[in-house]
C-alpha cells in the first residue's frame, strides 16, 4: 500500500421490484448535514448545554438507542425516558461485558486439535462475530466496538495458518475490552495484538542489515495515516489547516515513515506465554500449537530490533533505546498529536450518528477527547458521551432536510432486524458465513473489510448525485450500487422469513399481535425507524399487510409470512435506510 492510497417467500415479486426502486432512489436522497473545510482556526466555545427535556418521548428514546446500539428494547426505552441520555450511558458503561469472542470459540470446541485439522478453518471466525453482534447482551459495547473495528481495521479475510478464528477473535476482544477505556491504551494493545501484527506486518518485522534489508513500513504508515493523525494537518474542529497558498499541509513524509518503522521491529507471535504449548500429531511432520499465541501480546526479541535513532514528527528517539521504551515514546507522540482527537472524533460521529457533522460538533467531541473534564486525554467514555448527547445528535432533522443523517450500513440493518424480532441459533453454533458477496448477500460482513481502508472511505462522495452537488459526504454509499441493492433485497426477503441455516427469527413479541395490523406497524415503526416512516409509506405498508387477512386464529405460518413482509418492506424504504 502506498502512502497516499485512498483511504424468499415473504413478499411477492412486485414488492421486491418496488422496494428495489425505492432503495436505489437513495442516491438522490442523501444523508448528512453541515460540515465543510476552513483554513481559519476555530474559536473554542464551550459546548452548548442541552437542557434536559421535560419528557423524552418513546420516539426520541428509540432514535437515541438506534445511534448508541444496534436495536431498541422496551427496557432501554423505559430506562432512557426515566434517567436521560447521559445517565443511561453511564449505567451501560458499567454493565458487565458479555461472553468474549475467544471464550465463545472455546465453548464450542473450536480449539480442538484433531485429524480433521479444523484449526486451519477460518469460517468459525464469522460464526464468532455474528454471535457477538446478534446475541451479546452488551449492545452499547458491541456497537462502539464495531465502529472501532472500522477505524483500527484488521480483516479475517487474509489471515491464514493456525486458528484464524482465534486471531480475529482476540483482536475483537481487545476492541471490546477497551471500548470504554483510554485511546492510548487501546492503541498500544492493538499495536501488539497478534491479528494486527499479521495484518500489517509487524509480526516478524526485522531490523535493517548489511545486505540492504530495511524494516517493513506498513504499520508505520497506517498507524499515522489511518489510526491517529491522518494525511493532513487539522484544526481542532477537524477542518483542514491550509498553508499560505491555500493548500493542505501534510502531516508526515517518507522520512517519518522510514524512521518510525524501526520502532516496530523485533516483534513476533508469542507461542509459549500464558500456557502456550505445542502438540505432536501423527498427521503432520510438525507440531501444532494451542491458541495462546492469538491472545498473547506479541513478544519482543531485542536481537531483531533496530537500534538506530528514530526521528519522526519532530520527536527523536535516541539510538540504542530499548524497544519497549521506543514504542512508548512513539505511541505517546501519536496519541498527543493535535490531529488525533479531531481525526478520530469525526469518523466516530460518522459511524454512529451522521455523515456530515458540523465543525462545531467535531470540535466539541475532540475537546472531550483532549480533556474528559478531569484532565484525562483519550477517555473513550467521554468521547461516546460527547457524540451521543451532543445537540446535533439529539436534534431531530426537519423532514425537508434530505441531507441529514447517514445511510445505515448493511451489517447494522441485519443485526438491528434480528435483535428487534428475536433470533436464535438452533444448535448455538451461529452458522452465518461471510456475507460480503454483493449479488446474493449483504455486500458487507463484520471483520471482513476488503482492505485496511475499511469498507468505505470517510470522505467518499457519490458522483453525479445531489449529495455531490451539495458538497457533502456519504461514506456508506461507496458500497451501494445496483448489484448490492438487489443483493440486499433478495437476501433480506428470504432471511426475514426463513432465517439463515440454523439461525432463525422467532418474532416472539409480534406473533400474539399479528392480527392487529396497526399494532404491528406501530411496533416496527418505533423500533426500526424511531417513528420516521412517512404517511405515504405507512399507508402502503398497512394496505399490503391487511391483504394477508390475518386473524387471531390464523396459522403461525401465515402470521410469520405477514410479519416477515412487514419487516422486509420497512427495511427497503428510504425512511428506514437513511438513519436520521
Amino acid at each position: 500500500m502506498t502512502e497516499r492510497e485512498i483511504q424468499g417467500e415473504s413478499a411477492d415479486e412486485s414488492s421486491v421490484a418496488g422496494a428495489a426502486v425505492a432503495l436505489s432512489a437513495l442516491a438522490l436522497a442523501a444523508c448528512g448535514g453541515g460540515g465543510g473545510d476552513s483554513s481559519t482556526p476555530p474559536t473554542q466555545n464551550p459546548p452548548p448545554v442541552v437542557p434536559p427535556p421535560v419528557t423524552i418521548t418513546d420516539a426520541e428514546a428509540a432514535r437515541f438507542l438506534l445511534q448508541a446500539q444496534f436495536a431498541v428494547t422496551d427496557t432501554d426505552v423505559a430506562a432512557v425516558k426515566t434517567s436521560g441520555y447521559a445517565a443511561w450511558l453511564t449505567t451501560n458503561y458499567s454493565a458487565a461485558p458479555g461472553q468474549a469472542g475467544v471464550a465463545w470459540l472455546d465453548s464450542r470446541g473450536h480449539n480442538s486439535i484433531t485429524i480433521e485439522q479444523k484449526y486451519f478453518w477460518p469460517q468459525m471466525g464469522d460464526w464468532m462475530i455474528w454471535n457477538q453482534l446478534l446475541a451479546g447482551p452488551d449492545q452499547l459495547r458491541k456497537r462502539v466496538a464495531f465502529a472501532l473495528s472500522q477505524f483500527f481495521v484488521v480483516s479475517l479475510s487474509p489471515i491464514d495458518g493456525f486458528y484464524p478464528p482465534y486471531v480475529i477473535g482476540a483482536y475483537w476482544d481487545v476492541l471490546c475490552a477497551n471500548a470504554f477505556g483510554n485511546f492510548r491504551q487501546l492503541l498500544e494493545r492493538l499495536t501488539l495484538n497478534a491479528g494486527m501484527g499479521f495484518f500489517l506486518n509487524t509480526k516478524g518485522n526485522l531490523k535493517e542489515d548489511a545486505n540492504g534489508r530495511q524494516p517493513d513500513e506498513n504499520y508505520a504508515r497506517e498507524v499515522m495515516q489511518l489510526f491517529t493523525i491522518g494525511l493532513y494537518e487539522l484544526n481542532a474542529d477537524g477542518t483542514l489547516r491550509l498553508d499560505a497558498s491555500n493548500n493542505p499541509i501534510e502531516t508526515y513524509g517518507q522520512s517519518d515513515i522510514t524512521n518510525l518503522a524501526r520502532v516496530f521491529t523485533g516483534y513476533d507471535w508469542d507461542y509459549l506465554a500464558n500456557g502456550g504449548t505445542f502438540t505432536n500429531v501423527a498427521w503432520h511432520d510438525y507440531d501444532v500449537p494451542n491458541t495462546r499465541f492469538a491472545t498473547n501480546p506479541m513478544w519482543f526479541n531485542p536481537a531483531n530490533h533496530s537500534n538506530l535513532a528514530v526521528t519522526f514528527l519532530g520527536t527523536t528517539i535516541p539510538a540504542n533505546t530499548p524497544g519497549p521504551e521506543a514504542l512508548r515514546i512513539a505511541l505517546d507522540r501519536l496519541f498527543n498529536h493535535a490531529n488525533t482527537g479531531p481525526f478520530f472524533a469525526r469518523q466516530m460521529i460518522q459511524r454512529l450518528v451522521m455523515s456530515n457533522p458540523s465543525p462545531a460538533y467535531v470540535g466539541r467531541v475532540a475537546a472531550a477527547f483532549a480533556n474528559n473534564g478531569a484532565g484525562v486525554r483519550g477517555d473513550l467514555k467521554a468521547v461516546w458521551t460527547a457524540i451521543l448527547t451532543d445537540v446535533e445528535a439529539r436534534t431531530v432533522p426537519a423532514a425537508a432536510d434530505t441531507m441529514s443523517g447517514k445511510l445505515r450500513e448493511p451489517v447494522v440493518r441485519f443485526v438491528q432486524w434480528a435483535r428487534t424480532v428475536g433470533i436464535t441459533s438452533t444448535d448455538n453454533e451461529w452458522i452465518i458465513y461471510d456475507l460480503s458477496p454483493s449479488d446474493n448477500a449483504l455486500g458487507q460482513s463484520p471483520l471482513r473489510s476488503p482492505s485496511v481502508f475499511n469498507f468505505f472511505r470517510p470522505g467518499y462522495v457519490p458522483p453525479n448525485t445531489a449529495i455531490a452537488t451539495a458538497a457533502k459526504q456519504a461514506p456508506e454509499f461507496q458500497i451501494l450500487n445496483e448489484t448490492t441493492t438487489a443483493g440486499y433485497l433478495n437476501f433480506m426477503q428470504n432471511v426475514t422469513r426463513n432465517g439463515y441455516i440454523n439461525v432463525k427469527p422467532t418474532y416472539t413479541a409480534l406473533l400474539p399481535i399479528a392480527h392487529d395490523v396497526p399494532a404491528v406497524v406501530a411496533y416496527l415503526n418505533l423500533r426500526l425507524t424511531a417513528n420516521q416512516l412517512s404517511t405515504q409509506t405507512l399507508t402502503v405498508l398497512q394496505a399490503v399487510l391487511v391483504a394477508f387477512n390475518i386473524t387471531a386464529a390464523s396459522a403461525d405460518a401465515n402470521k410469520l409470512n405477514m410479519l416477515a413482509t412487514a419487516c422486509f418492506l420497512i427495511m427497503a424504504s428510504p425512511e428506514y435506510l437513511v438513519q436520521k
Side-chain angles (χ1 to χ4, degrees):
M1 288 170 283
T2 62
E3 178 185 355
R4 303 300 163 194
E5 185 171 353
I6 300 299
Q7 321 197 336
E9 57 187 339
S10 58
D12 59 28
E13 293 301 320
S14 62
S15 296
V16 173
V21 170
L23 178 58
S24 61
L26 281 172
L28 300 178
C31 58
D37 292 335
S38 169
S39 60
T40 303
T43 300
Q44 292 300 304
N45 297 318
V49 176
V50 181
V54 176
T55 59
I56 297 175
T57 67
D58 285 354
E60 289 168 336
R63 181 173 174 271
F64 166 79
L65 291 167
L66 291 177
Q67 294 170 345
Q69 56 187 32
F70 291 107
V72 175
T73 70
D74 292 346
T75 300
D76 284 326
V77 168
V80 170
K81 292 175 67 176
T82 299
S83 64
Y85 306 119
W88 182 90
L89 288 168
T90 299
T91 298
N92 279 268
Y93 293 146
S94 302
Q99 184 181 38
V102 165
W104 182 83
L105 289 167
D106 284 346
S107 75
R108 307 312 302 162
H110 295 311
N111 56 352
S112 62
I113 298 175
T114 64
I115 197 169
E116 291 87 357
Q117 302 174 40
K118 291 183 180 181
Y119 40 75
F120 290 132
W121 295 7
Q123 59 264 37
M124 289 84 82
D126 295 305
W127 307 351
M128 176 278 301
I129 189 58
W130 286 119
N131 165 266
Q132 291 281 293
L133 299 184
L134 295 172
D138 46 347
Q139 277 206 70
L140 173 64
R141 183 185 298 272
K142 296 300 195 297
R143 180 66 186 91
V144 299
F146 182 56
L148 290 168
S149 77
Q150 298 185 64
F151 185 83
F152 300 103
V153 175
V154 172
S155 176
L156 172 61
S157 296
I159 297 174
D160 55 15
F162 288 109
Y163 306 104
Y166 279 83
V167 175
I168 199 67
Y171 155 78
W172 170 254
D173 287 349
V174 169
L175 296 178
C176 291
N178 294 275
F180 303 148
N182 191 279
F183 184 97
R184 173 63 178 81
Q185 183 179 59
L186 175 59
L187 179 64
E188 181 165 342
R189 291 185 176 178
L190 287 172
T191 297
L192 298 177
N193 172 256
M196 184 66 78
F198 182 99
F199 191 61
L200 291 180
N201 309 121
T202 46
K203 173 187 180 295
N205 193 11
L206 301 175
K207 65 182 180 181
E208 66 287 332
D209 68 7
N211 296 319
R213 182 185 67 208
Q214 294 297 316
D216 187 284
E217 297 179 349
N218 203 9
Y219 190 72
R221 178 185 303 109
E222 309 308 358
V223 74
M224 290 191 289
Q225 179 179 344
L226 301 177
F227 299 169
T228 52
I229 66 176
L231 292 174
Y232 301 107
E233 292 187 13
L234 303 174
N235 293 309
D237 63 0
T239 55
L240 288 171
R241 293 187 62 206
L242 304 178
D243 63 18
S245 300
N246 270 348
N247 294 315
I249 305 167
E250 294 184 352
T251 51
Y252 62 88
Q254 182 57 43
S255 175
D256 296 299
I257 298 171
T258 299
N259 275 260
L260 182 58
R262 297 168 189 157
V263 171
F264 303 119
T265 56
Y267 292 92
D268 212 332
W269 284 356
D270 188 346
Y271 288 91
L272 298 178
N274 298 310
T277 61
F278 284 82
T279 298
N280 182 267
V281 296
W283 54 89
H284 292 314
D285 59 1
Y286 50 85
D287 294 344
V288 177
N290 65 8
T291 63
R292 293 298 182 268
F293 73 91
T295 54
N296 285 334
M298 290 190 292
W299 75 290
F300 177 71
N301 182 355
N304 293 330
H305 179 70
S306 173
N307 287 313
L308 297 180
V310 171
T311 299
F312 84 111
L313 302 181
T315 293
T316 296
I317 304 173
N320 299 312
T321 298
E325 176 64 7
L327 181 67
R328 182 194 65 77
I329 294 170
L331 296 185
D332 280 350
R333 176 68 183 98
L334 294 172
F335 173 59
N336 289 297
H337 194 285
N339 265 34
T340 303
F343 183 73
F344 178 69
R346 190 174 196 279
Q347 291 193 52
M348 291 302 99
I349 295 170
Q350 286 186 314
R351 296 285 64 75
L352 299 175
V353 178
M354 60 177 61
S355 294
N356 294 276
S358 72
Y361 185 5
V362 174
R364 291 189 291 270
V365 176
F369 180 97
N371 186 338
N372 67 352
V376 176
R377 180 177 177 84
D379 180 356
L380 292 176
K381 294 191 296 294
V383 171
W384 308 132
T385 297
I387 290 172
L388 293 166
T389 62
D390 191 87
V391 63
E392 287 191 38
R394 302 278 46 86
T395 301
V396 180
D401 182 3
T402 60
M403 294 290 162
S404 62
K406 64 187 293 290
L407 181 67
R408 282 188 171 94
E409 55 195 292
V411 166
V412 172
R413 301 176 214 162
F414 176 59
V415 175
Q416 184 195 6
W417 163 77
R419 284 183 170 272
T420 298
V421 305
I423 200 161
T424 186
S425 173
T426 56
D427 57 6
N428 202 32
E429 290 291 350
W430 295 91
I431 299 177
I432 302 178
Y433 290 95
D434 179 3
L435 297 184
S436 298
S438 58
D439 56 345
N440 60 4
L442 287 177
Q444 185 191 27
S445 206
L447 307 186
R448 284 283 191 173
S449 173
S451 79
V452 72
F453 297 101
N454 193 27
F455 305 99
F456 33 74
R457 301 194 308 271
Y460 179 75
V461 179
N464 305 312
T465 65
I467 302 171
T469 301
K472 302 294 184 181
Q473 299 170 346
E476 294 84 358
F477 274 71
Q478 192 168 4
I479 57 173
L480 176 69
N481 54 50
E482 292 87 347
T483 301
T484 60
T485 295
Y488 164 72
L489 290 169
N490 290 334
F491 178 82
M492 291 306 302
Q493 183 187 22
N494 180 64
V495 79
T496 51
R497 179 60 181 90
N498 302 314
Y500 186 101
I501 305 180
N502 70 343
V503 180
K504 303 295 185 181
T506 64
Y507 292 98
T508 301
L510 285 161
L511 274 171
I513 62 169
H515 60 285
D516 186 345
V517 168
V520 169
V521 171
Y523 185 99
L524 293 175
N525 188 18
L526 175 67
R527 289 159 181 79
L528 293 178
T529 78
N531 286 349
Q532 292 180 12
L533 291 179
S534 68
T535 301
Q536 180 181 12
T537 297
L538 288 169
T539 300
V540 171
L541 178 62
Q542 294 202 65
V544 171
L545 300 185
V546 166
F548 277 83
N549 294 315
I550 298 298
T551 68
S554 295
D556 279 356
N558 294 333
K559 293 178 179 178
L560 289 169
N561 285 338
M562 187 269 279
L563 294 171
T565 299
C567 290
F568 170 70
L569 292 178
I570 290 173
M571 296 179 71
S573 69
E575 301 103 296
Y576 167 76
L577 288 159
V578 175
Q579 171 186 309
K580 291 192 175 183

